[in-house]
Amino acid sequence: MLDLIILTLHFFVCLLISFAIWHGPKDADLHSSSTGTVETEPDGLILIGKEGDIKKSGRVTARVNGREVVVFYHEGKFHAMDSRCYHEGGPLRLGEIEDINGQACIVCPWHKFKITLETGEGLYEGINPLEPSPTPQWQSKGVKQRIHKVTIVNGNVYLSPPDLSVSFDSDYFADKYKNGGDLAMEKQSNSEAAEQVVTRKQNPGECTNKEPLS
């Protein structure tokens, strides 16, 4: 009788172990698949993070459907745009924010291109040669950087899905850097930057601080 009880207990223990092993990997896979992603709400809004956290850090970068987007909190307002500069794909998340003619602008750390946070316009400083005494003035190149609509609900920060029926210059680099392709391109950029330094040393009289209109 005792042997029968022991055998029955042994059977149930083995059954429980098998059940735990069968369910364990599925739970782990579910957890790992959700790590590093953003959540999409039923109405299509994409959850980026907590309002308080972004206010504290000043900016946060998220990958939405493989697309890099940077969200800024500056002077009481949230702004979001493609993370890669429309000019040559520089990382705007690393840029400084400057006030230019009353407009908050992110300055690309690679080539110092200025982009307004509010509208995504590229700004450049130019002169009108027809003026008697021409003086440099800030002018717009038009909207170059894709802007993403930010919505705050119950302390959470959401982005609206981009309207891809309208294209912007920054779309090219948003696609190029999709799904983790930025590491190789940043290495390439660093290599190009090193070559530019060598060129400047070889040609010290050459001026390289001009910003093209593109």
Side-chain angles (χ1 to χ4, degrees):
M1 183 66 180
L2 182 60
D3 291 341
L4 181 61
I5 293 174
I6 293 174
L7 185 63
T8 303
L9 289 174
H10 179 73
F11 172 77
F12 277 110
V13 169
C14 291
L15 185 64
L16 289 172
I17 292 173
S18 300
F19 183 78
I21 292 174
W22 184 69
H23 275 277
K26 290 187 177 181
D27 293 340
D29 290 343
L30 179 64
H31 177 73
S32 61
S33 65
S34 64
T35 302
T37 61
V38 293
E39 299 178 24
T40 302
E41 298 295 306
D43 56 2
L45 292 179
I46 300 163
L47 175 62
I48 299 301
K50 293 292 184 181
E51 180 181 6
D53 293 340
I54 300 176
K55 283 183 176 181
K56 191 178 297 183
S57 64
R59 64 187 66 183
V60 64
T61 305
R63 197 175 283 277
V64 180
N65 297 330
R67 187 188 196 100
E68 279 188 23
V69 177
V70 57
V71 180
F72 297 100
Y73 180 74
H74 179 70
E75 295 185 348
K77 290 184 179 181
F78 285 93
H79 306 273
M81 61 174 57
D82 285 350
S83 177
R84 293 292 170 169
C85 179
Y86 72 89
H87 174 230
E88 285 190 3
L92 297 181
R93 68 186 186 278
L94 302 179
E96 297 292 331
I97 296 177
E98 293 183 5
D99 183 278
I100 298 177
N101 267 10
Q103 299 183 86
C105 297
I106 185 71
V107 181
C108 179
W110 282 4
H111 304 105
K112 307 306 178 186
F113 275 56
K114 284 82 174 171
I115 304 168
T116 64
L117 295 181
E118 191 76 35
T119 63
E121 291 177 82
L123 300 184
Y124 72 100
E125 201 170 25
I127 61 172
N128 183 355
L130 300 179
E131 292 181 356
S133 300
T135 55
Q137 294 183 349
W138 288 103
Q139 302 179 45
S140 173
K141 304 174 186 177
V143 178
K144 299 288 189 176
Q145 199 77 13
R146 181 180 290 278
I147 295 298
H148 299 264
K149 182 182 177 182
V150 181
T151 303
I152 311 296
V153 180
N154 297 327
N156 292 322
V157 178
Y158 298 89
L159 293 184
S160 297
D163 178 10
L164 299 180
S165 66
V166 182
S167 62
F168 298 93
D169 289 10
S170 66
D171 290 339
Y172 173 79
F173 290 102
D175 289 337
K176 197 166 187 178
Y177 280 94
K178 245 183 176 182
N179 300 319
D182 49 355
L183 182 59
M185 289 195 66
E186 285 192 2
K187 287 182 179 178
Q188 178 183 352
S189 173
N190 291 337
S191 175
E192 291 173 353
E195 291 178 4
Q196 290 176 3
V197 170
V198 172
T199 302
R200 285 197 293 269
K201 287 182 178 179
Q202 293 174 347
N203 303 283
E206 182 182 355
C207 177
T208 59
N209 198 31
K210 293 181 181 178
E211 181 181 324
L213 300 185
S214 62

